[in-house]
């Protein structure tokens, strides 16, 4: 299934555009793992390695501007709800997700 089709679902999809060589991306990874534990049924975290998945990266860059790594985007039923470039700390991520789940 294509990523653009997948994010059309009823779940919330948090996409993390990252690169293995990116130190801030490695920090972000831990925050995302903890977020996954807090919202296991409502939020699906999708990691896109910009160096390996060029098709998805180019698609999303054209539509939503992936300005660098890490870039986070939250979707629900195909709509972009929130986007952030740079590291977002765990508490901030939880608050952002909570506001859309309500």
């Amino acid at each position: 299934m294509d990523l653009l089709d997948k994010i059309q679902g009823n779940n919330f999809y948090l996409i993390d555009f990252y690169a293995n060589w990116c130190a801030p991306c490695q920090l972000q990874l831990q925050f995302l793992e903890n977020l996954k534990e807090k919202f296991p049924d409502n939020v699906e975290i999708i990691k896109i390695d910009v160096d390996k998945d060029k098709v998805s990266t180019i698609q999303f860059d054209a539509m939503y501007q992936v300005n660098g790594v890490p870039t986070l985007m939250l979707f629900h039923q195909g709509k972009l709800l929130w986007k952030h470039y740079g590291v977002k700390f765990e508490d901030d991520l939880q608050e952002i997700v909570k506001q859309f789940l309500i």
Side-chain angles (χ1 to χ4, degrees):
M1 176 185 284
D2 172 91
L3 187 56
L4 287 171
D5 291 333
K6 182 179 183 94
I7 63 171
Q8 299 296 322
N10 286 324
N11 229 354
F12 287 84
Y13 303 92
L14 181 59
I15 303 177
D16 174 27
F17 291 90
Y18 76 99
N20 286 327
W21 48 263
C22 166
C25 297
Q26 302 309 314
L27 179 62
Q28 188 69 72
L29 175 64
Q30 184 57 52
F31 299 144
L32 291 173
E33 289 299 317
N34 293 342
L35 185 73
K36 189 192 248 179
E37 292 173 17
K38 300 260 196 276
F39 303 101
D41 299 328
N42 304 78
V43 180
E44 184 175 338
I45 296 171
I46 302 169
K47 300 193 61 50
I48 302 294
D49 183 333
V50 298
D51 293 326
K52 291 183 181 167
D53 191 347
K54 299 222 184 265
V55 172
S56 292
T57 302
I58 290 168
Q59 250 181 352
F60 277 76
D61 185 44
M63 297 172 74
Y64 305 106
Q65 289 77 47
V66 178
N67 296 326
V69 289
T71 293
L72 300 170
M73 296 183 193
L74 181 65
F75 289 88
H76 180 64
Q77 298 177 334
K79 293 182 183 144
L80 178 64
L81 302 175
W82 173 82
K83 178 177 134 180
H84 179 77
Y85 166 67
V87 174
K88 201 67 169 162
F89 290 94
E90 187 176 339
D91 292 343
D92 296 332
L93 276 173
Q94 285 181 35
E95 288 305 312
I96 289 159
V97 170
K98 275 185 204 172
Q99 79 182 4
F100 290 110
L101 289 176
I102 295 171

